[in-house]
Amino acid sequence: MFDAPLGSHHKLLGRWVTSMTPAAKRFTRREARIHIEQVFQNTVLEALEPVTMADLRVVILAAQEDRPPAAVVTCESLGQLELGWIETSEAPIPWRAAAYNALENTLGCALPVFAYQDLFDEISLYYWEGEATDEAARQCQIEMHGVDPDEVDENILPSALNARRPAWMLASNAGRSKELPAHLRRALAKLRAAHRAVRRLQPERNAWHFVGQEIYEYMPGAEDCSSLPPLTLVPVEQFAREIDDIARPGMEYGFMDVAGLCPLSEPGLIDPWFASLRVGVDFLIAAQELIQLEPTNS
């Protein structure tokens, strides 16, 4: 008798649930909430089950003022993505660089992840007030941070940072398609085709799209989080100090872990949203298959 009415997000999902499987019995409001949430989450879990490279979650956010409910995809994983053979195998550098370059250029469409250039830009602001050359960075250390000219740490200047990149991280080392084995070419082609499919999704029906301002409006407190994503393609072994420096605010206040936020103004948008979710899952499966390829054993 003291149960509150269903919220707008439960009503939205409830209409979608009943359009699929009309209920055979009447529910109390509490039972309705549980049933609606279970049907939605089971459908989400089924869609996300093949994704193992990151721990993804989906929730429906309640309406905010004049905005409708929204579906948000977040990432619970933290740290360096497992790169498998790309990082650790004895495969030729052109093969490894081609695979890494493909991931670096595509993964951001479905995962909150930062790459080397993002790390460099953050470190540039952190150490050198945005400078990108050794001389300018050295002068910044002296003039802005009061470092003695004879005590400037040469190991943290831009050229030293760049020099620490393994050869397989350099796009210039990526082999041309005709130089790669057929199975690697196929894996790369599948990844790029899946990436194009994600990029073709309509923004208003895309589970993997978001507008920064909407995050702050739907998720109070998100503006206090670090702008840094929780995942990285940068190998921690080579850049542990730098990653630790730029990730400290995220460890204290939280990372920007949103992979997508899609307002849902009517139940008819939920099926297209799920369709777009599965398009992104297909892309992540292609990325996983590339990482698990082991081309020297194929």
Side-chain angles (χ1 to χ4, degrees):
M1 74 192 321
F2 300 106
D3 199 6
L6 295 180
S8 59
H9 53 307
H10 281 103
K11 290 179 180 178
L12 176 84
L13 289 178
R15 295 187 183 99
W16 170 74
V17 169
T18 56
S19 71
M20 295 191 304
T21 53
K25 66 171 187 173
R26 295 176 65 86
F27 291 99
T28 65
R29 286 171 176 157
R30 179 177 179 276
E31 289 171 341
R33 287 191 187 91
I34 294 172
H35 177 66
I36 290 166
E37 291 169 1
Q38 285 180 339
V39 171
F40 178 75
Q41 284 301 328
N42 287 343
T43 309
V44 166
L45 291 174
E46 181 182 0
L48 294 180
E49 184 179 14
V51 178
T52 58
M53 68 188 304
D55 185 8
L56 299 175
R57 295 284 187 269
V58 174
V59 296
I60 297 292
L61 303 178
Q64 295 294 323
E65 298 180 356
D66 60 340
R67 291 183 172 274
V72 61
V73 183
T74 61
C75 177
E76 302 292 313
S77 300
L78 180 67
Q80 182 192 340
L81 281 169
E82 175 61 55
L83 295 173
W85 70 276
I86 301 170
E87 183 175 10
T88 61
S89 80
E90 297 299 321
I93 291 298
W95 300 8
R96 297 161 69 187
Y100 183 83
N101 185 53
L103 292 172
E104 190 174 40
N105 289 330
T106 60
L107 267 183
C109 76
L111 287 181
V113 60
F114 68 90
Y116 177 76
Q117 189 58 50
D118 303 303
L119 172 76
F120 185 92
D121 293 343
E122 290 285 337
I123 287 296
S124 175
L125 292 171
Y126 190 86
Y127 287 136
W128 318 310
E129 304 296 327
E131 299 294 348
T133 65
D134 282 4
E135 186 53 37
R138 186 179 289 105
Q139 289 302 312
C140 177
Q141 289 282 296
I142 295 169
E143 297 172 6
M144 303 293 291
H145 298 286
V147 176
D148 188 284
D150 296 329
E151 296 181 359
V152 173
D153 187 352
E154 300 290 331
N155 293 320
I156 63 168
L157 293 179
S159 62
L161 194 67
N162 288 331
R164 263 189 274 151
R165 288 175 295 175
W168 50 265
M169 284 184 68
L170 303 179
S172 59
N173 288 334
R176 292 180 294 179
S177 181
K178 64 181 182 180
E179 299 172 338
L180 305 176
H183 44 280
L184 179 54
R185 289 202 305 270
R186 288 192 294 268
L188 290 169
K190 182 176 180 180
L191 178 75
R192 292 175 180 131
H195 178 248
R196 288 193 295 272
V198 175
R199 301 290 290 177
R200 285 195 299 266
L201 293 170
Q202 299 176 6
E204 65 274 12
R205 298 186 178 190
N206 185 352
W208 308 97
H209 172 79
F210 65 87
V211 177
Q213 185 59 35
E214 286 184 333
I215 293 177
Y216 304 134
E217 292 172 353
Y218 276 101
M219 304 172 68
E223 63 273 11
D224 297 327
C225 294
S226 167
S227 60
L228 196 71
L231 295 174
T232 184
L233 280 167
V234 179
V236 174
E237 182 178 351
Q238 284 82 6
F239 297 96
R241 172 181 174 178
E242 289 75 19
I243 292 175
D244 183 61
D245 284 341
I246 67 171
R248 189 172 295 114
M251 297 299 293
E252 294 178 358
Y253 303 109
F255 294 90
M256 184 50 67
D257 60 0
V258 175
L261 189 153
C262 182
L264 299 171
S265 57
E266 58 180 87
L269 293 175
I270 297 178
D271 280 334
W273 178 87
F274 266 112
S276 72
L277 184 73
R278 295 184 180 99
V279 170
V281 167
D282 288 343
F283 165 74
L284 292 175
I285 292 172
Q288 289 173 181
E289 290 176 352
L290 176 62
I291 292 170
Q292 297 165 0
L293 185 64
E294 293 290 355
T296 54
N297 295 334
S298 301

